[in-house]
Amino acid sequence: MITFEELGLDARLVQAVTELGYVNPTQIQEKAIPVLLSGTKDFIGLAQTGTGKTAAFGLPLLNIINADDRYPQALIVCPTRELCMQIVNELEHFKKHIRGVSVVAVYGGASIGIQIRDLKKGVQIVVATPGRLIDLIERKAIDLGQIKYVVLDEADEMLNMGFKDDIEFILQNTPQRESTWLFSATMPPEIRKVSKKYMKEPFEVTVGKVNSGNKNIDHQYYITSAQHRYETLKRLIDFNPGIYGIIFTRTKVDAQDIAEKLTREGYDIDALHGDLTQAQRDKVMGEFRDKTLQLLIATDVAARGIDVQGITHVINYELPDDIEVYTHRSGRTGRAGNTGICMSIVHARETFKLKAIEKLIQSTFNRVDIPTGKDVCRKQFYAVMDKLLETDITHGDYDTYLPMLEEKFADVSKEDILKRLAAVEFDRFLKYYENAEDLNLRDNGRQKPREFGADRGAQGNNRERTRFEPRGERQERGERAERGSYGGGGATPGYARLFVNLGTKDGFYKASFLQFILDMSDLKKEVLGRIDMKDMNSWVEVEQGASHQMIRCLDGKNYKGRRIRMNDANSR
Ligand code: AMP
């Protein structure tokens, strides 16, 4: 295996990385560093976060800038404040033995005055988010005139966040640029376009497969109905007592609501979303990093660039709208050679997305049963007992108390003590899950989820892991959902198809009709499947669990003097 010395790095940098505990370069470092040390070659590195890409560009940058010239020579642009700070933090470690090199971070949400003052002190490397950088350029508070090296980190994220014009502006305003180094996890066409426009015959390196997910991640999905999403989330958390995870939601309202609900129910969780002040964000992130918080719930934008080690689980409360986002979410776990689990709570109507994601991550999803109440209790029970056995009793003066304890428990058997301990520790779960319902959305028994007993070998319940369903079926269902076809009148699995004698002649168009039936039934739009409107009547797909409520609330009611008739179309 090659060493850092052999890559051609300055001895002071080699010493610093050795002190950080890096033994050998990672794949991206091995491929990038020798090329980037030339300083004149444009470079594209397709690598996920967690592959060591910060050092891949950070070390050569520190090697080739001139410490005697106190003006900005290198510019690193990245999507978020967190990433900015992480990069600066790593560079600080790398440059530990090099004198006279300054690195400054400039990002939004913090005092621009202080950043301007820092820049004036004379710096060689600026790490910036696009918005704040443009602000500084416009205020003439930063001089990019002598920037030789521009690094675009997490370029795909920056494009996703709408920074394309800003990036082009930055590239256009670095006239002395000798090389551009672009790092990205994925390679959407827009990035190709930017690279074609601003880079000269870039040296391209791919680590792993482009767009591919990390192979250390077990991608699991759980199918439930919309109204059971929250309950499913709780069950997944309860079934994983040692979880240290991030839950992703699509909206900040969801992130906030779920965090509040779970906190009320005794979970260690806080939310990270765009409405927080910088101080609040820092507090939440600090607590999560210290593991004072076991769970973080975040929107995609708020969580971008976060590099927290040791995350065991990522939970998608919903699948992201843009499937590329799935890679970024799941990539928060399974880092630095560890394994991780990415769990997605999926609605029957969303299953078609899974196939597209599988293609993107080049890995298969495993459908897993949502654990039953009993599963959760058993798991919690074993966790309590493991904790008991693993508790260190070598420190502390427990022997002093032993005679007293022995006297107190003289007439209680060992079995009883164990039972009592278990009752104290997990009574809450027993009570809560006593009559817990099955949250799985079953689909005509065609599809076989992987059951929770599957990996519980020690408990003598070692069933084989079963792949969920033949790809063909899922694809067909997905395509049907996309085509909007009713397949000759049959409902999508998991849905009831309801007939209603209201149509466009009643003055409805689709959106107003949808709003009307939801208002009447007090149901959420997630329970709805396809809507097929005709002049005089319509057909609505409603999740099986919610269809009775819909019928009960609409059938027999009046609309503009007309009696509404609603019934299950397939049982007529
Ligand atoms: P990155 O992809 O830059 O976010 O890096 C992921 C993590 O890997 C960071 O915590 C780095 O400190 C760590 N790391 C980077 N390079 C190496 C290396 N050669 N050996 C061990 N750890 C590394």
Side-chain angles (χ1 to χ4, degrees), residues 10 69 92 159 205 212 261 274 315 354 360 379 395-396 416 435 448 450 453 465 481 516 526 538 564:
D10 186 298
D69 294 334
E92 293 291 346
L159 257 66
V205 165
S212 83
K261 258 165 125 177
I315 305 181
L354 296 172
L360 183 75
K379 192 71 177 270
H395 304 291
D416 269 3
N435 296 310
K448 260 192 124 192
R450 184 167 103 193
R465 291 185 174 200
F516 172 74
E526 283 82 1
S538 310
I564 302 173

Side-chain angles (χ1 to χ4, degrees), residues 280-446:
Q280 287 169 322
R281 276 176 72 88
D282 290 346
K283 183 168 169 285
V284 174
M285 275 316 294
E287 287 175 353
F288 187 57
R289 270 184 224 284
D290 295 348
K291 303 201 174 172
T292 320
L293 273 184
Q294 197 180 4
L295 296 162
L296 187 70
I297 184 159
T299 54
D300 293 302
V301 173
R304 271 183 181 140
I306 290 175
D307 177 21
V308 177
Q309 299 299 314
I311 291 185
T312 58
H313 293 75
V314 164
I315 305 181
N316 292 311
Y317 187 69
E318 289 162 298
L319 285 174
D321 286 327
D322 173 2
I323 59 165
E324 295 245 338
V325 170
Y326 182 92
T327 326
H328 296 296
R329 289 185 177 185
S330 60
R332 305 284 149 219
T333 185
R335 292 164 85 89
N338 295 320
T339 54
I341 297 176
C342 181
M343 302 165 139
S344 299
I345 304 174
V346 176
H347 186 278
R349 216 158 10 104
E350 293 174 316
T351 50
F352 73 94
K353 274 192 190 169
L354 296 172
K355 191 170 160 21
I357 296 175
E358 280 184 335
K359 231 166 127 188
L360 183 75
I361 60 175
Q362 303 195 353
S363 192
T364 35
F365 271 103
N366 292 302
R367 182 178 174 183
V368 185
D369 250 359
I370 300 163
T372 62
K374 272 207 179 100
D375 287 325
V376 174
C377 289
R378 201 179 304 124
K379 192 71 177 270
Q380 287 288 342
F381 181 82
Y382 282 108
V384 169
M385 293 306 145
D386 284 344
K387 200 168 121 195
L388 198 69
L389 285 173
E390 284 160 15
T391 303
D392 182 5
I393 49 170
T394 54
H395 304 291
D397 194 13
Y398 301 111
D399 286 345
T400 318
Y401 302 100
L402 204 59
M404 207 172 71
L405 285 173
E406 276 174 336
E407 196 189 325
K408 202 165 179 79
F409 287 91
D411 298 328
V412 193
S413 69
K414 179 179 164 188
E415 286 75 20
D416 269 3
I417 294 177
L418 286 175
K419 277 191 223 162
R420 279 165 204 277
L421 236 164
V424 169
E425 278 290 334
F426 92 136
D427 198 42
R428 163 168 96 96
F429 289 101
L430 270 187
K431 286 214 175 88
Y432 186 80
Y433 284 114
E434 208 170 16
N435 296 310
E437 60 182 318
D438 181 3
L439 301 178
N440 291 287
L441 201 64
R442 309 277 170 199
D443 12 41
N444 315 331
R446 283 187 306 128

Side-chain angles (χ1 to χ4, degrees), residues 4 17 20-29 48-57 59 83 86 90 94 153-154 307 309 335-336:
F4 280 103
V17 291
L20 283 173
Y22 298 5
V23 180
N24 292 106
T26 63
Q27 229 188 329
I28 185 80
Q29 290 160 5
Q48 308 273 333
T49 45
T51 52
K53 64 187 168 57
T54 314
F57 63 75
L59 293 170
L83 190 55
Q86 273 164 33
E90 289 208 41
F94 300 152
D153 192 18
E154 304 212 348
D307 177 21
Q309 299 299 314
R335 292 164 85 89

Side-chain angles (χ1 to χ4, degrees), residues 112-249:
I112 198 164
I114 295 177
Q115 291 173 357
I116 293 174
R117 207 182 58 205
D118 287 346
L119 288 167
K120 279 197 179 135
K121 285 184 193 153
V123 300
Q124 290 91 353
I125 302 179
V126 178
V127 187
T129 52
R132 177 55 57 99
L133 182 62
I134 302 243
D135 199 350
L136 289 164
I137 296 172
E138 281 168 355
R139 288 170 189 238
K140 303 208 180 335
I142 187 167
D143 176 16
L144 302 186
Q146 304 199 65
I147 292 279
K148 287 186 180 169
Y149 318 107
V150 173
V151 182
L152 302 175
D153 192 18
E154 304 212 348
D156 52 349
E157 296 260 14
M158 291 199 278
L159 257 66
N160 279 341
M161 291 168 79
F163 287 137
K164 182 170 177 287
D165 292 345
D166 294 359
I167 287 168
E168 292 208 33
F169 181 82
I170 292 162
L171 291 170
Q172 286 155 7
N173 281 278
T174 43
Q176 296 297 320
R177 186 160 34 92
E178 287 177 11
S179 57
T180 311
W181 310 348
L182 183 151
F183 286 81
S184 192
T186 57
M187 196 45 153
E190 296 95 316
I191 303 233
R192 271 275 169 244
K193 266 191 228 153
V194 171
S195 71
K196 283 219 170 86
K197 197 163 163 192
Y198 296 97
M199 295 166 85
K200 285 189 302 288
E201 297 164 12
F203 185 91
E204 192 165 318
V205 165
T206 303
V207 173
K209 292 193 180 86
V210 188
N211 291 348
S212 83
N214 181 331
K215 294 289 177 272
N216 292 335
I217 303 170
D218 181 6
H219 300 274
Q220 306 179 345
Y221 73 104
Y222 300 78
I223 300 195
T224 193
S225 55
Q227 75 254 42
H228 286 144
R229 221 183 261 278
Y230 176 74
E231 196 56 34
T232 301
L233 172 67
K234 262 175 64 175
R235 245 185 239 186
L236 295 180
I237 298 171
D238 289 343
F239 190 74
N240 291 283
I243 189 171
Y244 176 49
I246 306 188
I247 301 158
F248 284 96
T249 58

